[in-house]
Amino acid sequence: MTVGERDLMGGFAKGLRVIEAFGPERQRLSIAEAAEISGLDRATARRCLLTLAQLGYADYDGKFFALTPKILRLGHAWLSATPLPTIVQPFLDRLSERLGHSASASVLDGTEIVYIARAAQKRVMSINLMPGSRLPAYSASMGRVLLATLSDAEVATILAASQIKAHTPLTRTDPQDLIAEIGRVRAQGYAVIDQELEMGLCSIAVPVSNARGKVVAAINVGAPAAMLSAEALPGHCLDALREVQVGLRPLLP
């Protein structure tokens, strides 16, 4: 469907840009900071922030704004409307119990993956991952298998839009190296991450397709490197992950 500019609400779009300016490392923003991050002028950013505060989506202490829990209603609307989390969760529970490590599912959203379900055996990352959590696609195992479903040109576009940085000394940050690695993932059908997101954490992921062959999500298993090295992950986890792939295929929309 072609949508003309007259059909769009510019103010609504600007408000969403201000909401997206907040993040794990930007939990409190001044008007000037929100304007800079969102690319809006200060007056527009101020009106958006004050509107969010008036409606209860943000707190304002006179200098800084911070989102309130009410903002979760926006994301919960999608999570409650899609059947994916409900379908995937029992499979993750069984997978996690079988392997003794945490298992997760996610979808691709722009330059990031969004967790939609998780079964945790123990906390293996310093951050607390849960449905709605986001990670950069380029350095996450689930992100790489989802990127591998795209063409190299599409991957290059996403990488160009990503804020690529080294989370650890092992993080791949060269775009050409990442494109080559994603090509290897595409060929082998799974991705392994060796402490690229956080030291001490390894993970392996596979894509999940529906009955029509369309990739709709990714699942992974994460383990402490001291217990299960990146080299050992395929031998330990891949068969179980592929069984989940097969089991989910006829159930996914």
Side-chain angles (χ1 to χ4, degrees):
M1 181 179 69
T2 302
V3 179
E5 289 189 10
R6 294 177 60 184
D7 296 313
L8 303 179
M9 295 179 63
F12 182 60
K14 292 172 183 176
L16 292 174
R17 286 165 62 182
V18 169
I19 291 173
E20 292 178 344
F22 291 89
E25 299 176 358
R26 304 188 299 271
Q27 297 181 18
R28 299 170 71 246
L29 295 177
S30 67
I31 292 172
E33 290 168 336
E36 181 180 359
I37 296 168
S38 65
L40 302 172
D41 60 71
R42 286 176 58 113
T44 300
R46 176 179 178 274
R47 290 196 300 273
C48 291
L49 288 166
L50 290 174
T51 300
L52 289 172
Q54 179 65 28
L55 296 177
Y57 290 101
D59 284 329
Y60 181 42
D61 63 8
K63 183 176 181 181
F64 293 102
F65 291 83
L67 297 179
T68 67
K70 187 177 181 180
I71 204 76
L72 293 174
R73 294 183 184 181
L74 304 180
H76 182 71
W78 181 85
L79 285 173
S80 60
T82 177
L84 274 175
T86 302
I87 295 171
V88 170
Q89 188 64 57
F91 285 85
L92 295 183
D93 292 338
R94 291 192 292 269
L95 180 65
S96 178
E97 186 67 26
R98 172 180 174 179
L99 297 178
H101 298 290
S102 298
S104 306
S106 71
V107 295
L108 186 65
D109 181 25
T111 63
E112 299 175 312
I113 57 168
V114 182
Y115 279 68
I116 60 170
R118 182 165 168 80
Q121 285 287 322
K122 61 177 68 176
R123 189 165 168 177
V124 294
M125 292 188 72
S126 62
I127 60 174
N128 187 23
L129 295 173
M130 62 188 71
S133 295
R134 291 173 173 268
L135 289 175
Y138 72 89
S139 57
S141 59
M142 290 189 286
R144 288 189 184 164
V145 294
L146 291 170
L147 289 174
T149 67
L150 308 176
S151 68
D152 282 349
E154 291 172 311
V155 172
T157 298
I158 290 175
L159 293 178
S162 302
Q163 295 182 343
I164 297 179
K165 63 179 181 179
H167 307 289
T168 77
L170 299 177
T171 307
R172 297 174 186 266
T173 57
D174 179 78
Q176 293 305 313
D177 181 32
L178 285 166
I179 290 174
E181 176 61 21
I182 291 166
R184 285 189 286 271
V185 169
R186 188 182 296 125
Q188 67 189 13
Y190 66 91
V192 174
I193 295 293
D194 184 8
Q195 305 178 80
E196 292 191 51
L197 271 172
E198 185 168 307
M199 293 304 296
L201 172 69
C202 298
S203 67
I204 181 171
V206 297
V208 177
S209 304
N210 61 20
R212 300 184 303 278
K214 177 184 177 182
V215 173
V216 296
I219 56 173
N220 87 338
V221 172
M227 295 179 60
L228 196 59
S229 69
E231 292 78 10
L233 277 173
H236 186 76
C237 303
L238 196 53
D239 285 347
L241 283 165
R242 285 178 170 158
E243 287 179 22
V244 174
Q245 278 181 309
V246 174
L248 283 171
R249 187 171 298 127
L251 304 177
L252 296 178

